[in-house]
Amino acid sequence: MPADGTTKKSFRFHVRDGRSLMAAIALLITGTITAEIVDRFVYQEVTGALLTRSRLWWEIVLNLQILSVGMIWFCYSDRIADATGKLKRMHVVLCGITIVAALLPSMLAAASAANNWFYVRPNLPSFIGFFLFGTVFWFFSLLMQIVLVRIRARLSGVQPRRTVMWHYAPALLLAVIVAVDAPFGGRVWLVATPALLYLQGAMPYLVHAIGRA
């Protein structure tokens, strides 16, 4: 305490829920992998030198996928076991959605193998289709997160934590990048989209996991 008797504010942060932090890390890993795949499609004009044709690269990705799914399941396993009724069902649904979102690179790998995209460059409509699927799925996942928080607060009788603007900072940053880059034919927004959308999806977990000391 300072000499004048006033209380000094602490701005240190600590992890109060390690399991939520693990789910956030899993989503950040997936966002990074997906952004790398999009980067290779957008900026690599010759498919012969694609990193995504490397067996070692995909082995690393698949191992990270297994790790991500394990961290998400570890985040939700006790919550599902301890909850009942609507809250239990919401945890199950949200866990499933988050796992599917984390497996998006594996889905891309399966689609690439089925369509021979490792050797023949995928056409633009196919790329746009996957791009739109990922974006719509993210919005649905975020909506489910919001519903779950409201149901959990109502069932427990606790006032839900007030959402502040910085919780949506990744989505706002993406909107700025799209507005600045896309009209001029830029490609940065395409690569930034999966990275920032997954970061936005990880925000509820980060907010729940990290508190001020």
Side-chain angles (χ1 to χ4, degrees):
M1 181 178 294
D4 59 2
T6 60
T7 302
K8 185 177 180 180
K9 292 183 178 180
S10 173
F11 293 96
R12 293 179 300 174
F13 293 90
H14 70 286
V15 177
R16 60 187 176 191
D17 188 344
R19 297 194 177 198
S20 291
L21 181 61
M22 292 175 68
I25 293 173
L27 291 175
L28 294 177
I29 290 173
T30 304
T32 302
I33 294 172
T34 309
E36 174 66 18
I37 295 174
V38 174
D39 176 79
R40 291 292 163 175
F41 175 83
V42 170
Y43 289 106
Q44 186 70 55
E45 300 297 336
V46 180
T47 59
L50 280 176
L51 176 64
T52 48
R53 287 182 59 185
S54 168
R55 178 179 177 181
L56 176 61
W57 191 85
W58 278 110
E59 286 181 355
I60 295 173
V61 168
L62 291 176
N63 278 286
L64 288 174
Q65 294 275 266
I66 295 172
L67 174 64
S68 298
V69 170
M71 288 193 293
I72 293 170
W73 172 248
F74 188 69
C75 171
Y76 280 100
S77 58
D78 284 350
R79 290 179 169 89
I80 293 173
D82 296 339
T84 58
K86 291 183 179 180
L87 184 59
K88 186 183 184 75
R89 289 192 291 271
M90 289 299 299
H91 278 308
V92 171
V93 171
L94 186 55
C95 178
I97 291 174
T98 308
I99 288 176
V100 172
L103 289 176
L104 184 59
S106 294
M107 297 179 190
L108 290 173
S112 297
N115 293 278
N116 200 30
W117 288 346
F118 292 118
Y119 296 94
V120 179
R121 187 178 178 83
N123 54 38
L124 187 59
S126 298
F127 174 76
I128 292 175
F130 270 102
F131 197 83
L132 292 177
F133 169 79
T135 303
V136 171
F137 189 85
W138 169 79
F139 277 114
F140 179 70
S141 177
L142 181 60
L143 179 62
M144 291 300 296
Q145 289 174 348
I146 294 173
V147 172
L148 175 61
V149 169
R150 298 297 178 183
I151 292 178
R152 181 166 53 194
R154 186 175 70 246
L155 294 178
S156 60
V158 177
Q159 186 69 19
R161 187 177 303 171
R162 186 169 59 90
T163 302
V164 296
M165 186 60 68
W166 68 266
H167 291 175
Y168 299 99
L172 295 174
L173 177 59
L174 178 60
V176 172
I177 293 175
V178 171
V180 172
D181 188 57
F184 299 98
R187 302 178 179 181
V188 175
W189 70 276
L190 292 171
V191 181
T193 295
L196 291 176
L197 288 184
Y198 273 96
L199 176 57
Q200 182 62 65
M203 286 300 292
Y205 297 98
L206 291 173
V207 171
H208 186 72
I210 300 176
R212 181 175 296 179

